[in-house]
Amino acid sequence: MPVAIITGASKGLGRALAEALAARGWDLVLDARSAGPLKEAAEAVAGHGTRVTALPGDVTDAGHRAELVAAARTLGGVDLLVSNASALGAEPLVRLSDLPLKGLRRALEVNVVAALGLVQEALGPLRESPGGAVIAVSSDAAAEAYETWGGYGASKAALDQLAAVLGAEEPGLRVWAVDPGDMATDLYATAVPDDDEPRPAPVSVVPAFLRLLDERPASGRYAAPSLVEGR
């Protein structure tokens, strides 16, 4: 069975992706900082009959990243790496004039540095996989100038560029940066707690990610809503 590592998998998009891949027979290594919600998610995902390893920890910890890849090797290797764990930099979001530099550093550390560190750790087994792929979960804030989203958007823009260069440097892999679009997630609610406009559930964009895995288009940046509409 193919093996995927998914970070930030205890809830939201990460958990929805884990459920969908498990339903397709993928074995999984799941990461999140909170042990309780991660355990609950892993138990639910394992209900599909696949092997699931849940490792709570912080992706900025190099030792934790090594544990994730080692666990995947135990399951057979790494066929897919999904960098979904994200940090906002400020909760709720604030204008750049008020953005704590410590928060910006945290966003860059989680969204960019840790994502690259995990790729570096997993690159060997990814290259060995006949269908090795990396998905970097991006944001429209990486490309659009929304007030208060400057720090988070800058980190996601950096992640986009990192994914683009990785795709050029690793032609044997597929490297996709995916903007999932608006979703009703805890991260969004934390970012903008006063915005009570309804938003789609994360599970609604999962078909876009499955389409990438099924059709394996060229490495690049993709918008999940367009992939869903184009089916």
Side-chain angles (χ1 to χ4, degrees):
M1 294 298 180
V3 180
I5 298 173
I6 304 175
T7 66
S10 63
K11 50 193 173 183
L13 178 60
R15 176 167 173 170
L17 284 173
E19 292 265 12
L21 292 177
R24 288 182 160 211
W26 284 66
D27 293 325
L28 300 169
V29 176
L30 306 181
D31 149 273
R33 283 188 298 165
S34 301
L38 180 62
K39 181 175 182 290
E40 178 186 344
E43 289 174 350
V45 170
H48 293 281
T50 59
R51 296 177 295 173
V52 180
T53 301
L55 294 173
D58 190 324
V59 290
T60 65
D61 179 350
H64 176 59
R65 296 195 297 267
E67 288 177 350
L68 293 172
V69 175
R73 285 184 180 276
T74 299
L75 295 178
V78 183
D79 301 285
L80 172 65
L81 171 59
V82 181
S83 284
N84 174 63
S86 297
L88 290 166
E91 301 177 357
L93 293 175
V94 295
R95 298 170 66 87
L96 286 175
S97 58
D98 301 317
L99 178 63
L101 297 185
K102 181 179 179 181
L104 176 59
R105 291 190 185 97
R106 172 67 181 171
L108 292 169
E109 190 70 28
V110 173
N111 303 348
V112 184
V113 178
L116 176 58
L118 192 52
V119 165
Q120 291 174 337
E121 191 73 35
L123 202 48
L126 280 168
R127 286 169 172 162
E128 294 168 3
S129 168
V134 175
I135 293 177
V137 177
S138 184
S139 167
D140 56 350
E144 302 291 338
Y146 302 126
E147 291 185 10
T148 72
W149 288 84
Y152 179 79
S155 70
K156 290 295 185 177
L159 179 64
D160 280 1
Q161 181 64 5
L162 185 153
V165 173
L166 182 67
E169 293 178 345
E170 299 290 338
L173 303 179
R174 289 291 186 270
V175 184
W176 303 302
V178 182
D179 168 12
D182 279 349
M183 296 183 296
T185 63
D186 286 358
L187 183 137
Y188 186 85
T190 302
V192 193
D194 295 333
D195 184 353
D196 55 4
E197 289 291 321
R199 284 181 161 70
V203 70
S204 67
V205 299
V206 166
F209 292 83
L210 298 181
R211 182 177 181 183
L212 289 172
L213 295 172
D214 289 343
E215 300 180 6
R216 298 183 59 79
S219 296
R221 190 178 195 275
Y222 294 84
S226 297
L227 289 169
V228 172
E229 292 170 3
R231 290 206 75 115

